[in-house]
Each structure stands twice: as structure tokens, then as C-alpha cells.
Amino acid sequence: MLTALAIRNVVLIEALDLAFHAGLGVLTGETGAGKSILLDSLGLVLGDRADTGLVRAGTDQASVTATFEFDSLPETIRALLSGAEIDVEPGEPLIIKRRLRADGGSRAFINDQPVGVALLRDLSRSLVELHGQHDDRGLVNARGHRALLDRYAHADVGAVTEAWQRWSRAGRDLAEARARVAAARNDEDLLSGWLAELAALAPLVGEEAELAEQRAAMQKGERLSGDLAALQNLWEGSDSALAVLRSAARRLDRIAAEHPLLGEALASLDRAVIEAGEAEDRIAAAIDALAHDPNLLDRIETRLFELRAAARKHGCTADDLPHKLAEMRAQLEAIESGDAQLAALERIEQEAGLDFQAKAEALSVVRAEAARRLDVAVAAELAPLKLDSARFRTAVVRLPEDRWGPQGVDAVEFLIATNPGAPFAPLGKIASGGELSRFILALKVALAEQGGAATVIFDEIDRGVGGAVASAIGERLARLAHGGQLLAVTHSPQVAARGAMHYLIAKSSEGTVTRTSVMLLDTAGRQEEIARMLSGAEITPEARAQADRLLEQA
């Protein structure tokens, strides 16, 4: 709820700090004292258009700061703040500030963080509900009527919403499946040709790398074949290097015993013969490993070309070709079994649709019955509010199928007819300002509902009425304020007497300077102000006595 309002340099207000509490707060004062300035200031901080006429003459800027406090932050407000990356800790107030410069520029802040004015407007729907001469929000807005009726009826809208979601999901699944089958059928001949090509190619995962490695080895052998043949010749024949070493070793063996050095030379020569033999064996093995068959090399290169060409054709790697092959088989199988799949999905979609319609029809019955009860309840409130000739009707209208949704198949709108025989029409298009406020009061009483906003304001709901009607208005405002916060700008002493808090708005002048001030009245101040409202400029003892009676009755 609204707990504080600080206004600086707005029209006639130089500096004003107000504290508000739960319950019914009334604001009174003589005509022209500046009650509209308070509402304009609150509108400014809640995102209304920045009018430079609000800036007090002779100053550079105006500012308004509104503080809201909640036992638990409403989810609608929490979601909006979260979207703007503003965190409000539990128990922390929500402080909204707006500055307006004389040149027309304005800035907005929430808990000292700069924000756009659009966010203030979005928040305002959950913060303050204003009913007055130019009301175009709250209960006047038909977009909220269906939710109000559902709450009044205690309707199970959640079951309808879940059924709608299942039906929508089934419809999307069916549409996607139809699109897939249609696309596949369009490409069926092409798919069959590609599948035949890939099946004949029979690609394997890892095959490309293995073939590339084999080809590289064979190409290397081809390049080294001359050198390897020359090296092999060095080890062949009676005059080869190895044959010479072996001959030298045999000759040295015959004389090695003649001297130790000859024995050592023989040992070295034996090692050389062994190493040379091993080298001969390794060269022979290398020749075998690097041997290449020109025909095999051609086959490998042809296979590599086919694999890589197929990969380019299908926009994938060679290792992905087996997956592509399986994918194409699945697509063709889907075409073959597509009719059966579509039939199954069509049954699911049809069943989900029938389930939604059944639940929506049941909800429509609940709404129609609740509408009849609400019409009776509102009608009972109209006569005490001097709306004897008026009629109220809750219209529950079935929507065309293309407008069905998660809230069912109905549109709901509150309609009124202010004169006998007059046609019913939307609230805001028929009633005058005072009538509209009283209609809304009657509707709120019938709904026993505080509205979506934390704070509800009625601006001169008692315009043009008095006596018993004003008493009825005051009694209903007090009832609505119970457990919440309701502020009423009033000219009626009967309404003012019902307030838990009473604020006096006054205008004073010093030379050429005019100022508006607001004072929270004590018991004596309330008696005096209500007496003034009863008697006018001259307050009589009779007026004070009547004021006492009104306060006692409240």
C-alpha cells in the first residue's frame, strides 16, 4: 500500500510530505484548494504524461516520491521488477521517484535505480486503482472483467488453461508432422536416388582416414623405390659390402690368436657383420612395407574421391555419411508410415480439443450462473447509491473459435443502462463521472474485492449527492477499506466522518505567492472540518453538534 508521498514544487505545492496508513483515508477541503494537484502528483510518479505545467512557477524542476510497502510483494510487481533487473528484498519498501524539469525533460527512479516511464505505467496497474471523473482503468477496463467474474465465481480456470495448452501442443505437433511428411513426399524421388547412391557406396566411419593413410604410405614407397633398390643391391652378390665384411672376418679369425689386438679387431668386425645383417633385414622389411601396387593405389584413390564427393554433396564429413544414410532411410520409412503417424496425431489433437471444449463449456456455465448472481448483488446496491433507474448486466458472450484461448471461450463485460428503456453499454461510455464512480463502488461491494491494486482511490464519488446517499457511500467505502487501503477525495461530511484518517487540503496566500498545504487532522480538527462542510463559511454550534453525531455514528 501507499505509505508516503513527498511532493516538491508541483503547481501550488512547495514542499509536502504525507504519511498514509491502512483503512479509509479521506481528503477534504474547499473547492480549488488543490485536491487535484495531489492526484496529478500521484499520476506523475505512476507514469502519466510529463506536463511542464505541473512545475511550480519560478523553479527549475518538480519531483514526486511515492513509497509503497507490502507484507509480501505481489507477484505481478515482482515479475515487472525482475524484468527490469531490480531486486527488492523482503520487507524493503518500493520507492518510486519522478523528476520533471521546466523544459519538459523527466527522469524516473525505482529504489534509486533509473528506469523508463513505461515501467511506471505497468507497475501502476498493481499499485494504485483510481476511480474518478476520467476513469479509464481498473473496473472500467473490460480486459479485467473476465478475471473478476472468475474470482467471484471461484471458477477453476486452471483446468481450462491446462486443457488449452494440451490442445495447442497437440495442434503444433500435428502441424509439424504434416509439414515434415509433406516436405518428405515432395523430395521422395530425390531421397530414393540419394539413398541408392549411398547404399551402393556403403561408407564406413573412419574409412576415409584409413584410406588416406594407406595412400600416403604407398605414395611414399613409390617415391623411395629407387633409393631402396640401390641400397638392397649393396647387400647382394659376392662383392657386396656385407660379403666383404664376412670374408674379412673369416680371414681375421684364422690369425686372431696371434695377438690380443687382432682378437679385439675380430670382435669389432663380428659386431659390424651383425649390425650390417640387421640393417639388411630392416631394409628388406621397409621395401616390403613400402611396396605399392599401382592398381591398388588407383582403387584407393578412386574410393577416396567417391567418399569425399558424396560428403560434399550432402554437406557433411565422410564420417557422417553412414549417419546420413540412416537418416534417409528413416525419412523414407516415415513417408511410408506417415499416414499412420498423422492419423494417431490427429486423434490426439481431436481428443485434446474435445477435452478443452468440455471444460470450457463447463466454465461457461459457471460464469453464466455467477453473472446472474452478480447482477442481483449489484442491483441491490444501486438504489442506496441514488442509481434507482439504472440497471447492471454482466454479459458473457461466446467468442468465435479463432479467439478461444487459455481462459476459455467467453468474453465478459460489465454493462449498464442508466435510464429505463435505454440500451446496455460499457461502463465508461454511458455513466457520467459521479454515476460511474458509484457504479464502480456498487460493483466493488458486490464483488467484495479490493481490485488488483494495492491502493484504491475514489475521486469525488459523492459528487451531486447528499444525505442518505452520501451516508450509504461512506458506509460502503469504509467496508471496502477494511483490510486494505482506500483513499477518498470527498465534499460529503457523511463520507468524511467515516474516515480512519482525515486530511485537510488548504490554500493560503502571502502577497503574490499562493501555496497548497495538507494537514492530518486530530479529533478536534475533524469535528471542525466536518462542521465547515455542513454549514459553509460560518461554522455554527448546530453544525459542530451535527459533526459530532456523524463522527459518533461512524
Side-chain angles (χ1 to χ4, degrees):
M1 68 176 183
L2 177 68
T3 57
L5 186 65
I7 304 173
R8 299 291 183 270
N9 296 323
V10 176
V11 193
L12 300 180
I13 298 176
E14 186 174 12
L16 183 62
D17 293 283
L18 293 174
F20 298 96
H21 304 280
L24 175 60
V26 295
L27 297 93
T28 66
E30 295 182 358
T31 300
K35 294 184 289 294
S36 64
I37 301 174
L38 289 178
L39 297 180
D40 289 342
S41 298
L42 190 57
L44 181 67
V45 83
L46 292 174
D48 284 356
R49 186 178 65 85
D51 183 357
T52 55
L54 293 175
V55 181
R56 182 177 171 82
T59 62
D60 295 331
Q61 70 172 18
S63 71
V64 182
T65 303
T67 302
F68 295 87
E69 297 184 36
F70 306 89
D71 293 333
S72 177
L73 196 65
E75 185 55 39
T76 53
I77 296 176
R78 185 184 303 280
L80 287 169
L81 294 176
S82 177
E85 299 183 351
I86 299 173
D87 294 324
V88 178
E89 298 296 329
E92 181 182 1
L94 185 66
I95 302 173
I96 304 176
K97 184 172 185 177
R98 185 139 180 229
R99 293 176 184 156
L100 172 61
R101 296 197 307 271
D103 63 7
S106 75
R107 296 189 67 191
F109 304 85
I110 294 180
N111 289 10
D112 293 327
Q113 182 170 328
V115 297
V117 175
L119 177 59
L120 302 189
R121 286 194 289 268
D122 291 339
L123 285 170
S124 70
R125 300 184 184 95
S126 299
L127 292 173
V128 176
E129 183 179 328
L130 174 63
H131 302 293
Q133 301 300 303
H134 305 290
D135 190 357
D136 61 355
R137 292 184 290 187
L139 293 180
V140 175
N141 192 332
R143 284 183 303 220
H145 292 177
R146 184 169 55 195
L148 286 169
L149 181 64
D150 288 341
R151 282 204 293 273
Y152 179 75
H154 302 290
D156 185 10
V157 182
V160 175
T161 301
E162 291 175 2
W164 167 263
Q165 291 170 344
R166 286 193 296 272
W167 188 25
S168 299
R169 188 163 51 249
R172 289 193 300 271
D173 291 345
L174 177 59
E176 290 171 3
R178 282 173 173 162
R180 284 196 304 271
V181 170
R185 281 180 176 150
N186 288 337
D187 297 335
E188 185 172 5
D189 291 341
L190 183 61
L191 274 174
S192 298
W194 285 352
L195 180 61
E197 289 176 2
L198 281 182
L201 186 61
L204 300 173
V205 175
E207 182 182 8
E208 180 194 26
E210 183 179 346
L211 290 173
E213 185 177 348
Q214 291 178 10
R215 183 184 67 169
M218 295 180 74
Q219 288 174 336
K220 187 184 297 183
E222 186 177 28
R223 189 176 66 252
L224 298 177
S225 59
D227 292 333
L228 292 173
L231 285 170
Q232 192 173 35
N233 288 335
L234 292 177
W235 266 262
E236 293 178 349
S238 58
D239 58 347
S240 68
L242 183 56
V244 171
L245 284 175
R246 287 172 176 162
S247 176
R250 288 193 297 271
R251 182 172 295 182
L252 189 56
D253 182 54
R254 291 196 294 268
I255 61 174
E258 301 297 328
H259 194 279
L261 289 175
L262 293 175
E264 294 174 6
L266 179 60
S268 297
L269 192 56
D270 285 341
R271 288 195 299 274
V273 170
I274 293 170
E275 293 287 343
E278 291 177 353
E280 181 183 27
D281 293 339
R282 288 190 174 91
I283 289 172
I287 290 171
D288 291 339
L290 293 172
H292 68 283
D293 178 353
N295 293 328
L296 177 58
L297 180 58
D298 285 342
R299 289 196 299 272
I300 289 174
E301 288 184 331
T302 299
R303 178 67 175 175
L304 274 173
F305 174 81
E306 291 172 345
L307 288 172
R308 289 171 177 172
R312 285 192 300 272
K313 181 176 183 178
H314 296 290
C316 63
T317 66
D319 282 348
D320 287 335
L321 289 173
H323 175 70
K324 277 287 182 187
L325 180 60
E327 196 176 75
M328 290 177 188
R329 284 198 178 105
Q331 286 178 282
L332 286 171
E333 288 171 2
I335 294 172
E336 294 170 3
S337 61
D339 290 339
Q341 290 178 351
L342 288 179
L345 289 173
E346 285 169 354
R347 283 195 301 274
I348 293 172
E349 192 269 346
Q350 184 179 28
E351 290 169 1
L354 291 173
D355 180 57
F356 166 75
Q357 291 179 56
K359 287 182 169 62
E361 294 289 353
L363 177 59
S364 295
V365 172
V366 171
R367 283 172 173 160
E369 175 57 30
R372 285 190 288 272
R373 288 188 284 112
L374 181 59
D375 292 351
V376 172
V378 173
E381 296 292 332
L382 295 180
L385 296 175
K386 200 180 177 182
L387 294 167
D388 315 59
S389 301
R391 291 168 297 149
F392 175 86
R393 187 172 74 190
T394 305
V396 180
V397 180
R398 189 180 182 91
L399 292 167
E401 186 172 342
D402 61 354
R403 293 181 59 196
W404 292 357
Q407 307 304 315
V409 298
D410 308 307
V412 176
E413 187 171 10
F414 300 144
L415 304 174
I416 60 171
T418 55
N419 298 302
F424 283 93
L427 284 172
K429 293 185 178 179
I430 293 294
S432 65
E435 287 177 328
L436 177 59
S437 294
R438 296 201 298 281
F439 260 113
I440 290 170
L441 179 59
L443 183 55
K444 276 190 165 291
V445 171
L447 289 169
E449 191 266 342
Q450 292 292 324
T455 299
V456 179
I457 299 176
F458 279 93
D459 181 18
E460 299 187 4
I461 188 175
D462 48 19
R463 178 184 291 269
V465 301
V469 175
S471 295
I473 290 173
E475 186 273 329
R476 283 157 176 78
L477 289 176
R479 197 193 317 168
L480 279 177
H482 182 70
Q485 183 183 52
L486 191 150
L487 301 175
V489 177
T490 180
H491 290 288
S492 168
Q494 291 89 345
V495 173
R498 290 282 183 171
M501 297 162 294
H502 190 152
Y503 299 89
L504 174 61
I505 305 172
K507 184 167 63 175
S508 61
S509 298
E510 296 178 11
T512 60
V513 179
T514 302
R515 293 184 176 88
T516 291
S517 62
V518 181
M519 178 188 306
L520 179 61
L521 299 178
D522 57 16
T523 302
R526 293 190 67 192
Q527 181 211 44
E528 196 71 5
E529 170 61 7
I530 293 173
R532 181 200 65 75
M533 297 171 74
L534 287 164
S535 64
E538 183 180 349
I539 303 175
T540 64
E542 292 78 6
R544 290 189 177 94
Q546 179 64 16
D548 285 339
R549 284 193 292 273
L550 288 175
L551 289 168
E552 288 171 1
Q553 292 170 2

